[in-house]
Amino acid sequence: MAASAIPVQSSLAPRIQSVDALRGAIMMLMAIDHIRDYIARSAQQFLPTDLARTTPAIFLTRWITHFCAPVFMLTAGLGAYLWMTRGHHSKAELSRFLVSRGLWLIVLEVTILRLILLSQISFTANPVLLIILWAIGISMIALAALIYLPARVLAAVSIAIIALHNLLAPVLAERFGRAAWIWDILYQRGVIVLGGINLRPAYPVLP
């Protein structure tokens, strides 16, 4: 009894509250974006950032959400780094973790999230939109390979994607022939036909 009363010291590193606070703040911004459509019906009839028709409140509640996807991606990468360094895991363990987590996010995207957001069950009656969970999931799978690059190379690749990806706008998927679907995933919002299912990456990975 006396031994069982001794508190057990956890070997896990404490959570970093500032990171959790950042994630929470971004989730609240995202909630504002989704709630807006149900409060202002007019917001469903035009782009919230259309200066010719919008109001300051509708514009700002949309504009602030432009921080959501980038910070989700940032904290996903930060979380992977902390999982490895603070949990004393190897790169091989991190790579397997990223692949499994990424695949789960993609599955959730095309099943649970699709049902909740769009009330769609059939995969053939409507295009299957691939949005934020898909983008984070496939990015995690890519990161599972990228973690083996030297830090300087990885930093250079990251900065190049952020600073230069807009230069790829003139490049069309049709240029790549049968491999056009790869460009649709990476950059262009095209439609990928797979077994009679129309997949539409609404969140291309590079941008």
Side-chain angles (χ1 to χ4, degrees):
M1 290 294 292
S4 63
I6 298 176
V8 177
Q9 297 293 328
S10 173
S11 59
L12 297 177
R15 297 186 65 87
I16 300 178
Q17 293 185 356
S18 58
V19 176
D20 287 336
L22 177 60
R23 287 172 169 161
I26 292 301
M27 288 180 184
M28 287 189 288
L29 291 183
M30 184 178 65
I32 290 173
D33 182 36
H34 290 289
I35 291 172
R36 184 195 60 247
D37 290 340
Y38 297 96
I39 295 178
R41 181 175 299 179
S42 60
Q44 300 181 12
Q45 300 172 0
F46 57 85
L47 290 175
T49 52
D50 181 355
L51 297 180
R53 305 181 64 182
T54 193
T55 66
I58 292 176
F59 176 86
L60 288 173
T61 54
R62 175 55 183 164
W63 182 81
I64 60 174
T65 59
H66 283 70
F67 294 100
C68 290
V71 176
F72 277 138
M73 297 294 185
L74 173 66
T75 54
L78 179 60
Y81 172 77
L82 295 174
W83 187 86
M84 182 179 72
T85 57
R86 292 165 66 86
H88 306 292
H89 297 286
S90 66
K91 284 190 174 181
E93 290 175 315
L94 174 60
S95 183
R96 290 193 295 270
F97 176 78
L98 288 169
V99 170
S100 62
R101 182 64 62 88
L103 290 174
W104 267 116
L105 288 176
I106 293 173
V107 169
L108 289 174
E109 175 75 80
V110 299
T111 55
I112 304 300
L113 188 63
R114 185 166 180 261
L115 177 62
I116 293 173
L117 291 182
L118 305 174
S119 300
Q120 295 177 353
I121 299 177
S122 173
F123 286 93
T124 55
N126 303 97
V128 177
L129 291 178
L130 303 175
I131 47 181
I132 189 65
L133 291 186
W134 144 267
I136 295 177
I138 200 168
S139 296
M140 282 185 169
I141 294 172
L143 187 59
L146 292 173
I147 61 173
Y148 291 99
L149 293 176
R152 291 183 178 180
V153 175
L154 185 57
V157 170
S158 302
I159 293 171
I161 291 175
I162 294 170
L164 304 176
H165 76 267
N166 282 335
L167 299 179
L168 299 173
V171 180
L172 301 179
E174 291 78 8
R175 177 181 300 184
F176 301 101
R178 292 184 178 181
W181 62 273
I182 298 177
W183 195 243
D184 287 330
I185 290 175
L186 291 177
Y187 197 85
Q188 184 174 310
R189 292 179 176 177
V191 176
I192 304 169
V193 180
L194 180 63
I197 301 174
N198 293 326
L199 303 171
R200 186 174 181 84
Y203 277 70
V205 176
L206 285 182

